[in-house]
Amino acid sequence: MLDYNFSLENLRFHLTKRNTLVFYGWYRENNPDHRSLRVCLDAQELELTEHVRRGIEIRQKYLNYQADINEEVVGEVTLPKDWKSSSKLTIICVHEAEEKIIRTITVKKLISMQERVDYYLETENLSENTLTFSGWAMAEGEVTFTLKNQKGRELKTQVERYYRKDVMAVYEDAAEGVQAGFKVTAPAEGSSFELLMQCGERKSVYRCTASALAHGKTQAGAAEPGMIKKIAAYYQRHGLKGTIDHARARLFRQSDEKYNIWRKQYLYSEEQLEAQRQEHFFYEPVFSIVIPVYQTPERYLRAMIDSVIAQTYAKWELCLADGGGAESRVRTILEEYHNKDARIRYELLASNDGISQNTNAALKMAQGDYIVFADHDDLIAPEALYECVKVLQEDPGLEMIYTDEDKVDMKGKSFFEPNFKPDLNIDLLCSVNYICHLCVVKKELLQRVGMLRPEFDGAQDHDFILRCVEGANRVHHIPRVLYHWRCHMNSTAQNPESKLYAFEAGRRAVEEHYRRLGIPATTEHARYYGMYHTTYHWQEQPLVSILIPNKDHIEDLKTCMNSIIEKSTYRNFEFIIIENNSTEASTFAAYKQLEADYAFVHVVYYDGDFNFSKINNFGAQHANGSYYLLLNNDTEIISPDTITEMLGYCMREDVGIVGAKLCYSDDTIQHAGVVIGFGGIAGHTFIGSSRYDIGYQSRIICAQDYSAVTAACMMTKKEVFDAVGGLTEELKVAFNDIDYCLKVRELGKLVVYDPYAELYHYESKSRGLEDTPEKVERFQREIAVFQERWPKILKSGDPYFNPNLSLDKADFSLK
């Protein structure tokens, strides 16, 4: 039976009306029973003022509820002067003679709410001895920020403020133009810190330690300044796509619960698992599962071995190398399992020589065709080997297979944080070890690349995987969770402080990868440990031709050009301004002045109707550089290293295109890569997320390969541009950049998204909106052209996007 009572989503104090409460909520199907609300302070009923907000924005905001919500109820209640002497406030939904209590809040809780500043921390970090806090804060006036260390000494802070449209959408009572967004930086002088946010008598305090900040063990996104903060934060992160649903997920850990529900739907039934056991294949290789063991707790070791025994594909052997030596606490357990099943073999090592050497000892025992790597306290899904042998029937030449994975709690009952991975993504692998488990390699590949190297202990798997990827003929990804990583406080993922050596080993592993390939590059630790930033050191400094189509809007053009001229660390560039259909005399005068002022500025004149592809192709004919940077005139670089960054990747032989991270003026993301299939055709990833967010599995902040990037800022090689015939001129406005990327991908070249190349994009000011019947008709034609040109990827799916994730959202949510 459906619940037609009022659903209260948030409650807070009005920013400007003293002692006035504001609440938001909704009725399923827009209140068909005409229910009403009452608000009582103890036994006293208070006067309630309500108004209803309607429209597409409201419908989209509550879309995830699937409850046909077109209306949002906003209520206001003024509390009496003596309200603090009362006990509780109650919100009641009334239907005929029936009353249902929707929410009861103690007065003590209300007093606490009134005395604090609402805030939400999105980022907290310590890097290069600098503290950084960013997020938003809201009160009736300007919020001030004070940062002190453990000795009470106030640190010298720099505070940046910016407008946040997402927060303003929730705080309708805020003054127009309030800059709720903030970024606070200060020298990290101390071992612990206290961030005070204050407005008049209202204040909130956030405390943290230097150690936790330095290693990513933070509470960003989990602070508790008030209910409304979560709603605005997820409104920011997900735009108009179910803000409140995500807020509840964080409040009640429903995201993990949602995954467990989703997971159960995708699990094989016992009947299906039994059918797998009865199935026979033309090609039936033997899998050697190698596991180093060292003083593993008995229940975890038994659970791991039992998960191997439960495999529905029976041609396997389990090779266990026990590093416990004479003091081994697990020898009797291993002997017990060996006696029960001859496929289980173990070797007692003389000593514990570290993870790599112990694993190598297990590898020497392996007699199978394929090697499967696992840890001694994790779990392997029962269908794991079955799924591997299935793909080998289709392609017996595969030399490396990896799968999706998740985490499991210490009891082995609750599963969480699924890692739904892309197909092979070498630049993501150089940013973070996203492959990890389950990893399967052909024995011949192992023999070619060598065993694990102890000098990379802690990141020995990252080093090994990189070497395998370099040497493998073909690598295949199975988009199914087949490995469960048991999570405990000593794991690198949960407590970065415990294994700093592992992250340094990972950095060296990536650097070694570049060295083997002959690529002049170094790596450094990125924003969080376990992630890496690559810097290229090419000797050449080729000319980069920056192609900028322009129609009037000369101030926008100057802003774009000046940001490069004044900020860019890369200096060997020229501007090709492609004039198209300007009407203002001042525009042409400005062109002449620009050419007079700068020898590296050239204006060329395109004659014809607006056709983005033709315009850029025309500009390319006049360019002198060996690299082109296609750039919109309504952009402005943020990072001085933007061109340096993009060129570093683009100069690699295997790369054809490089894209950038683009942000709207309100510091929300406009582009962080493109996924084919978003919105039915193609769309930008993480659009609407905060500029300071990290995204699903840190995808926003990691350099990686995508199928496409936007041409609002796209670097490409001239030779590649010429090889594919430039942009497809049949696509006048829409999808020409996506089409170009796919043509380049057909050449075997990579398309790289570089988050360290960062710009503002003020979005198509020159061209205008798609708001006329003619433009709509043209857009539909171009959709048809794109579909005709690229049916295969539209049908099979984007290889850089996991099929378990939703194409209806930009945030990599579950289907």
Side-chain angles (χ1 to χ4, degrees), residues 59-117:
R59 183 172 180 82
Q60 291 177 326
K61 181 177 178 180
Y62 293 107
L63 193 61
N64 279 7
Y65 281 115
Q66 298 181 346
D68 193 25
I69 303 166
N70 295 295
E71 299 178 348
E72 180 179 63
V73 177
V74 182
E76 280 192 20
V77 176
T78 300
L79 301 174
K81 292 181 179 180
D82 60 348
W83 68 274
K84 293 184 180 180
S85 62
S86 301
S87 174
K88 63 183 179 181
L89 181 114
T90 309
I91 301 175
I92 304 164
C93 183
V94 181
H95 178 231
E96 297 177 348
E98 179 187 355
E99 293 190 349
K100 180 178 180 180
I101 294 176
I102 302 301
R103 180 75 58 85
T104 298
I105 305 130
T106 66
V107 167
K108 183 178 179 181
K109 174 76 171 178
L110 290 176
I111 292 172
S112 175
M113 288 170 56
Q114 190 180 44
E115 291 176 349
R116 69 189 175 205
V117 171

Side-chain angles (χ1 to χ4, degrees), residues 305-366:
I305 297 175
D306 288 342
S307 76
V308 174
I309 294 172
Q311 291 300 303
T312 58
Y313 179 76
K315 292 192 175 182
W316 54 262
E317 63 173 1
L318 178 57
C319 305
L320 299 150
D322 181 6
E327 298 180 358
S328 172
R329 297 198 296 262
V330 300
R331 182 176 183 178
T332 56
I333 300 170
L334 301 181
E335 182 70 22
E336 172 195 331
Y337 275 101
H338 170 68
N339 291 335
K340 289 179 181 178
D341 192 329
R343 295 174 298 177
I344 300 174
R345 298 185 290 117
Y346 77 95
E347 181 179 336
L348 183 63
L349 306 180
S351 61
N352 177 26
D353 294 326
I355 184 69
S356 293
Q357 295 289 41
N358 291 358
T359 304
N360 289 341
L363 284 169
K364 291 174 184 176
M365 300 166 59

Side-chain angles (χ1 to χ4, degrees), residues 138 163-172 174-178 180:
M138 183 65 82
Y163 181 75
R164 291 284 295 260
K165 66 179 180 181
D166 57 311
V167 179
M168 296 298 286
V170 178
Y171 286 86
E172 294 178 301
E176 186 176 353
V178 168

